[in-house]
Amino acid sequence: MGFKGDLTWGGFGLRLLLALLLVLATFNPTGVSWFHWVITPMVQAPTAALGTLNPYKVLAGIVLAIGWVLYLQATQRSLGVLGAVLLMGVLGCLVWLFAYWGLFRPASSTAIAWIVLLVLSIVLGVGMSWSHVSRAMSGQVDTDQVA
């Protein structure tokens, strides 16, 4: 007996991809992000930057905020704070292990920023999908999922 909305690899991949897009659209080291578009000018020249604020920047910020609220709430409800911290610990140890094996050398702050952004995206993607995994493993449905 299948549940409506069973998790598939494609569904998990889509949630992970959307989490990555959300994180990288908000901030990334390339300088092409909402943060660099809106916040950086305000920090560099606060009085002049206020004049550059326009509906596009505000709308993009609101859409990003909606995405963050959706992902953070889903992660909080499915993993909880402890689960998210444990997942970050596992991912952090994997990064350390890969560096220990010499698979990469995070020698710059830019490389470390990319790693942190990727780990955050994975935590959000898993958080968005974990209720499906938990239901498949235990047969228990989260109370906020009952239709």
Side-chain angles (χ1 to χ4, degrees):
M1 173 181 175
F3 287 97
K4 182 179 179 186
D6 280 342
L7 182 66
T8 63
W9 283 108
F12 175 72
L14 181 61
R15 287 174 177 89
L16 191 60
L17 177 65
L18 291 174
L20 183 63
L21 288 173
L22 175 66
V23 169
L24 296 181
T26 304
F27 175 83
N28 67 70
T30 66
V32 181
S33 68
W34 184 85
F35 178 86
H36 292 94
W37 186 34
V38 176
I39 304 300
T40 301
M42 289 185 171
V43 171
Q44 292 173 346
T47 55
L50 200 53
T52 66
L53 197 61
N54 60 50
Y56 301 114
K57 293 178 181 182
V58 174
L59 180 62
I62 291 170
V63 169
L64 286 172
I66 290 168
W68 277 101
V69 166
L70 289 173
Y71 267 86
L72 289 172
Q73 278 185 343
T75 300
Q76 166 61 32
R77 288 180 180 153
S78 64
L79 293 176
V81 174
L82 180 60
V85 169
L86 289 172
L87 180 58
M88 284 187 270
V90 167
L91 294 172
C93 283
L94 285 175
V95 168
W96 183 14
L97 182 64
F98 293 157
Y100 185 78
W101 287 343
L103 296 176
F104 64 89
R105 301 261 180 246
S108 69
S109 60
T110 302
I112 293 169
W114 280 111
I115 292 167
V116 168
L117 294 170
L118 181 61
V119 165
L120 177 60
S121 299
I122 292 170
V123 170
L124 292 175
V126 169
M128 185 64 92
S129 303
W130 189 252
S131 287
H132 295 283
V133 174
S134 175
R135 181 180 60 219
M137 289 175 20
S138 69
Q140 296 177 353
V141 179
D142 293 341
T143 56
D144 60 336
Q145 293 180 346
V146 175

